[in-house]
Amino acid sequence: EGEVRVMKENIGENIFAGFLQDEVKLLDNLTLYGGLRLEQHYISNFKVSPSASLIFEPIENHTFRLQATRAYRAPNIYESKMDFSLTTGLASKRGRYLGNEDNKAESIDSFELGYQNLIFKNRVKGLINFFFDNTDNIIEHRHVRNEVISGQTLPVMQLINSGESKAKGVEIGAELLLTKQITTFLNYTFQEVENKGVISVAPTGRFGEKFAP
């Protein structure tokens, strides 16, 4: 009474990461930037996240950028080791909550095409970026079964890899340098997201015998 143990065991985390970056001037107005992030995680093991950017400046203060990256997000301790039950309080919150030690790292592949210019003696900067992101192995709560806990039939909610999403959009921005101390910003972003995750829903509801979110 008064305490809830959230983790099923004491946990020690060992995470190591490093980053490498280089640039190659292909032409006077064309530069290639490359990078690698290296990470050793106690759950998702060794991951390599590459990135590359191509910067083209056909005329002074007018820059085009093409970029591609892959990144990972390893499961945190809650998403892997959590294990606790709520048997009192709001009915909608009662249940057993689990992590999953078999969760994979979320991955995201990002692609961008952008343009930026500087005008009026570098006092005004304008930019436009088009982007596309693909995220896989999204970790989400799912109702995996029911259990009898303290005399109640309650749902078991587990954090598992169950989703994929695709996002595309455009970002438009402007920056105005009023004085050396004052700068104003204006940004607009439009994004369209497609979520490919699947949720099993049963008409019996959250506390029914069948699965439901």
Side-chain angles (χ1 to χ4, degrees):
E1 182 178 353
E3 292 186 1
V4 175
R5 185 179 178 90
V6 176
M7 301 298 171
K8 63 182 180 181
E9 61 188 24
N10 293 325
I11 299 166
E13 291 186 292
N14 293 293
I15 303 171
F16 304 93
F19 190 78
L20 303 174
Q21 182 173 305
D22 197 9
E23 63 178 87
V24 179
K25 203 164 186 63
L26 303 176
L27 300 170
D28 289 341
N29 59 0
L30 185 64
T31 304
L32 174 66
Y33 295 88
L36 285 176
R37 175 182 166 82
L38 311 174
E39 180 178 303
Q40 175 65 40
H41 192 276
Y42 71 104
I43 293 177
S44 57
N45 298 320
F46 185 71
K47 296 292 184 184
V48 178
S49 302
S51 63
S53 299
L54 195 61
I55 308 298
F56 178 51
E57 189 175 11
I59 57 177
E60 186 177 5
N61 294 331
H62 292 264
T63 304
F64 293 89
R65 175 178 57 87
L66 181 62
Q67 179 173 312
T69 62
R70 164 164 279 202
Y72 293 94
R73 188 190 72 82
N76 59 41
I77 58 175
Y78 296 99
E79 294 164 338
S80 58
K81 302 285 189 177
M82 179 173 63
D83 187 350
F84 75 99
S85 300
L86 291 177
T87 59
T88 60
L90 291 174
S92 61
K93 299 296 184 182
R94 296 177 195 172
R96 185 180 179 192
Y97 294 86
L98 299 175
N100 183 2
E101 296 183 33
D102 293 326
N103 276 335
K104 300 177 182 178
E106 294 180 346
S107 65
I108 178 169
D109 295 310
S110 299
F111 305 91
E112 292 188 24
L113 175 62
Y115 166 73
Q116 176 180 295
N117 65 14
L118 293 169
I119 56 176
F120 299 123
K121 298 181 179 180
N122 296 341
R123 297 181 67 88
V124 177
K125 178 171 71 175
L127 63 88
I128 180 169
N129 291 316
F130 299 93
F131 60 87
F132 172 80
D133 299 328
N134 183 72
T135 306
D136 199 11
N137 290 326
I138 298 174
I139 299 174
E140 299 176 313
H141 258 129
R142 287 290 183 261
H143 180 182
V144 294
R145 63 182 182 274
N146 292 327
E147 288 184 358
V148 176
I149 305 172
S150 299
Q152 305 176 63
T153 300
L154 298 176
V156 177
M157 309 295 292
Q158 187 168 33
L159 286 158
I160 58 176
N161 296 116
S162 60
E164 177 186 358
S165 71
K166 298 180 184 295
K168 58 183 177 181
V170 60
E171 176 189 10
I172 302 171
E175 180 179 319
L176 173 62
L177 180 65
L178 298 176
T179 70
K180 290 183 178 180
Q181 293 78 29
I182 301 176
T183 304
T184 60
F185 303 88
L186 178 64
N187 289 89
Y188 170 77
T189 301
F190 172 79
Q191 180 174 259
E192 182 179 282
V193 179
E194 178 186 2
N195 191 339
K196 293 189 175 182
V198 177
I199 300 175
S200 298
V201 179
T204 50
R206 178 177 166 86
F207 291 90
E209 294 182 355
K210 295 183 179 179
F211 291 177

